[in-house]
Structure formats: structure tokens, C-alpha cells
Amino acid sequence: MSIQFREEIKNIQPYKPGKPIEDVKREYNIQKVVKLASNENPLGCSPKVKEAIIQALDKLAIYPDGNNTDLKNLLAKKHSVEVDNILPSSGSDEMIDLIAKTFINKDDEVIMADITFPRYMQTTIMMGGTPVIVPLKEFTFDLDGILEKISPKTKIIWICNPNNPTGTMITEKDFVEFLDKVPPYVLVVSDEAYREYVTRDDYPFNSIELTKKYENLLVMRTFSKAYGLAGIRVAYTVGHKEVLQYINRVRGPFNVSSLAQVAAMAAIEDDEFLKKAYDTNLQGKNFLYEEFDRLSLHYVPSETNHILVDVGRDGQEVFMELQKRGVIIRPMTGNYIRVSIGTMEENRFFVENLKEVLKKGQ
Ligand SMILES: *Cc1c(COP(=O)(O)O)cnc(C)c1O
């Protein structure tokens, strides 16, 4: 191949998706397959979203509103901010990409945790930036360790709160103390993909309010998790209008589809669905905690819809054994797996099979 690729791209691994449910059924010749691997909402989405999408189907020939006017207005009202403080995107995945493209120059430093969401690292490398890794402490963000790593070259700090895959959170008090110490030339992005599942009351539920005081803070929210809309790709970011204006120059003109826009608007209006998602998750979480306790497996208490568990055996091996039995989870490094919390029926199916797999390995 004589085409030259950008040097930075050579160090990036493509995203490895898990096997689709249908492939697992075929490969292992089984009828029932439960996927608890991608932190999706086991309840699906609000029926109001489906209605809104059906209504919007008549307009598929027309480009979406590139300004996302209605969605932005609704979000601005919901969060008591100005319309210019909001920027929707095609999932927060796209926003991570846009933020990297807008801010990272070659050799800029970008601080992130380990383990955390992998896209922060990949987009940094893609732009020729230098990832600066601060390992988690007791599975939680080490904010003092992050502050110590700030240098004149630091451009962005990625905060995932609560964190994927550990499910741990940063408290409001710690977050505010941290923001007070971050110099104003460093952008802090708080990725709050799982905030709707948080049960503790010392979480920074006021993060959007904080963006009014801290001009260098961006808050990312998504409809992919608790709202159950992972397939349609819609999220939004709140922050200082000047910061968002620059990101706005980088995005594609129609990055959020018309169906995604109406879906998000309908989803926001259905508090009842969100409550049901929260309750189902909490019930499932407590059930899994009890079962892990019974099996003497260490797990990290989670503020999300997934749990990091030490299965006492190679996670990859347990993943393969579970998959054969029709349960798809996510293997992590060493003896850890990450399991998404499903419906009670799915949770029971997972536990039954996990017991079998662990018994067999003894
Ligand atoms: C799932 C997830 C995302 C991706 O969300 P989309 O809006 O679907 O792109 C972003 N950040 C974290 C931490 C996630 O777990």
C-alpha cells in the first residue's frame, strides 16, 4: 500500500464490538441469549419516544434542523440555562471526538484515569496529544493525583462520573474542591452517562449549575443509557457558550438526525419511564450484590447500571464460558468482568450460569 496514513492513527485500535446476539445463538446452537455487555436499558425506551418517531417518519426526505432548535429550547428550559449553553451531538461518543478535534494540538497533554472510558485515550492519540494517565485509587478517581499532573501543556481533564467500568463516583464536595484548584486554561469535561442511576445524594447533581461558575467545565449527558436510546445516537453537552461555539464549528451540519431530535424531546418529557428504569436498576443491583456476597465474590459498589466483579478466575475465560451458555458480559483485565444490570429475569439467568461456570472451574 503506497498511501500514507497519519502517524497518529497507527497507534489506535479499532473498537471491538461484542458478538451480536444472533451470532451467539447460531454459533453455540442455543435459543436463549441474554446480553449484559453494553450497559443498555433492559426496559427499552419510553413508548412516547416510539410515537414521536412514527410521527416524524413523514419527514425523512427533509434534512434535520441543523441547529437542533426545539431540542435545545427544551433542554435550556429543563436546566435553566441559555440556549447557547447547550450543544446536542450524535451520542456523547461524537462529542468526545469533537472536543478532541477542537482543542488538542500536537503534544498537548490530556489527563484521564485508568480504568475509564476508552474513547478519551483514543481521541487524544488520534490528535497527536499525549495521554497522561492517573490510575484509579480504590477504584475511584484520584483527584489529587490528577491535580499533581497538571502542567502548562495540559489541555483537557476527562472526568467520568460515575465512572465506567468501576461504577464509582466523585462527590459534589470533592468535585467543587477539585474545580477550584484546576487552572482556568484547562478544560474539565464531566462525562455523566450514568448519572440518572446514581442513588447517593452527595453526587454533584448540580453540575450544570456549576458550569455557570466554572467557565472551563463541560457537562456531557446522553440518552443512550437510562433513557434507553443507544440505537438512535443522541446526547448533549452543557457549558460556556464560547467553548461550545468553537466545538460547534467542528461538528457536521446535520450531526443529529431528525428522528434522534424528536426521540430526545419525547424522552425528556417522560419522567415516569426514567423512574421505572431507576427502580428496576436498583432492584437488580441489590439482587446481584446479594448473589455475589453468597458466592464470596468481591465487587465494586456501583452508582451505575453495571457492576465490576472479581470472579476469581481469568475474566476472558469466564466470558467465553458464559457466552457458550447464552450470557454475554464484558471481560475486563485480570479476574474482573463487568456485567450490566438487566431485568430480574436476565439477572437470574446470569447468576445461574455464573454459578455453573465457577463450579466447573474448581
Ligand atoms: C456509554 C458511554 C458513552 C457513550 O454514550 P453515547 O451517548 O451512546 O455515545 C459515553 N461515556 C461513557 C462513560 C459511557 O459509558
Side-chain angles (χ1 to χ4, degrees):
M1 173 69 75
S2 53
I3 298 170
Q4 294 293 303
F5 299 92
R6 285 180 62 231
E7 209 44 51
E8 290 84 0
I9 308 301
K10 293 181 184 165
N11 299 320
I12 301 176
Q13 299 298 320
Y15 178 70
K16 261 209 230 109
K19 271 202 185 95
I21 290 178
E22 288 311 313
D23 289 15
V24 174
K25 282 184 183 169
R26 216 173 302 122
E27 191 171 328
Y28 299 103
N29 196 21
I30 42 182
Q31 296 298 315
K32 181 174 173 177
V33 173
V34 164
K35 184 172 171 236
L36 299 172
S38 301
N39 305 337
E40 291 142 337
N41 193 327
L43 303 178
C45 69
S46 159
K48 294 189 173 128
V49 168
K50 294 179 192 170
E51 272 168 46
I53 288 176
I54 290 168
Q55 298 276 321
L57 287 177
D58 284 340
K59 294 186 192 148
L60 284 187
I62 299 165
Y63 277 103
D65 169 13
N67 185 45
N68 296 282
T69 314
D70 294 342
L71 176 57
K72 283 206 296 203
N73 281 333
L74 195 61
L75 287 167
K77 211 167 99 198
K78 176 181 158 85
H79 293 305
S80 307
V81 294
E82 302 291 318
V83 171
D84 293 341
N85 297 120
I86 293 181
L87 189 59
S89 59
S90 175
S92 24
D93 261 330
E94 188 203 28
M95 184 51 75
I96 296 169
D97 200 67
L98 293 176
I99 290 170
K101 287 175 179 165
T102 306
F103 296 101
I104 304 175
N105 286 307
K106 195 166 168 24
D107 298 329
D108 278 353
E109 292 174 358
V110 178
I111 305 180
M112 62 199 76
D114 180 44
I115 314 168
T116 190
F117 196 55
R119 280 308 283 175
Y120 313 145
M121 164 90 85
Q122 286 158 343
T123 52
T124 300
I125 295 172
M126 180 175 86
M127 296 309 298
T130 307
V132 175
I133 310 290
V134 178
L136 298 176
K137 251 190 191 164
E138 315 268 317
F139 301 99
T140 310
F141 268 70
D142 174 11
L143 294 177
D144 289 331
I146 289 175
L147 288 170
E148 276 169 31
K149 293 283 187 186
I150 295 175
S151 84
K153 283 184 171 177
T154 305
K155 187 54 72 74
I156 302 172
I157 300 173
W158 284 103
I159 300 287
C160 189
N161 192 22
N163 190 39
N164 177 4
T166 54
T168 51
M169 64 161 239
I170 298 166
T171 65
E172 180 189 334
K173 182 172 167 287
D174 289 348
F175 191 48
V176 169
E177 280 176 20
F178 170 76
L179 289 171
D180 279 332
K181 291 177 191 154
V182 175
Y185 66 86
V186 178
L187 187 67
V188 176
V189 190
S190 182
D191 180 348
E192 303 184 346
Y194 300 99
R195 72 177 309 272
E196 294 83 5
Y197 290 115
V198 172
T199 60
R200 278 169 57 172
D201 56 14
D202 52 354
Y203 178 81
F205 286 109
N206 63 341
S207 58
I208 286 183
E209 214 40 44
L210 294 175
T211 63
K212 294 177 185 170
K213 178 170 177 198
Y214 301 96
E215 296 186 348
N216 59 334
L217 173 64
L218 288 181
V219 171
M220 274 196 333
R221 304 269 173 95
T222 182
F223 290 94
S224 294
K225 305 285 157 61
Y227 289 99
L229 295 176
I232 205 152
R233 316 304 304 130
V234 60
Y236 62 98
T237 296
V238 187
H240 193 272
K241 64 179 182 191
E242 199 176 323
V243 176
L244 295 184
Q245 253 175 39
Y246 277 92
I247 301 173
N248 194 38
R249 298 178 192 195
V250 176
R251 73 177 176 97
F254 305 108
N255 59 330
V256 184
S257 79
S258 50
L259 298 188
Q261 292 183 33
V262 295
M265 286 191 284
I268 294 167
E269 309 279 17
D270 195 346
D271 289 335
E272 205 182 310
F273 177 80
L274 208 59
K275 172 89 170 63
K276 206 161 102 189
Y278 174 93
D279 290 343
T280 305
N281 190 65
L282 185 56
Q283 188 195 5
K285 188 167 81 172
N286 289 331
F287 167 78
L288 289 172
Y289 283 177
E290 277 172 31
E291 294 295 326
F292 293 148
D293 283 339
R294 213 167 289 166
L295 291 165
S296 302
L297 298 180
H298 175 262
Y299 56 87
V300 184
S302 172
E303 291 300 317
T304 63
N305 65 346
H306 53 269
I307 308 175
L308 189 69
V309 201
D310 180 344
V311 284
R313 295 217 340 240
D314 182 52
Q316 187 67 37
E317 198 184 302
V318 171
F319 160 74
M320 287 305 294
E321 287 296 322
L322 281 172
Q323 186 164 268
K324 269 190 223 166
R325 292 166 171 79
V327 182
I328 314 175
I329 51 87
R330 185 69 60 94
M332 306 301 296
T333 51
N335 290 350
Y336 284 94
I337 64 166
R338 187 194 72 188
V339 61
S340 306
I341 299 163
T343 60
M344 283 309 286
E345 208 251 323
E346 290 170 332
N347 297 330
R348 285 198 190 94
F349 188 64
F350 158 70
V351 169
E352 272 165 36
N353 283 286
L354 181 67
K355 280 180 186 164
E356 243 181 63
V357 169
L358 294 180
K359 211 186 294 165
K360 186 170 161 261
Q362 277 170 355

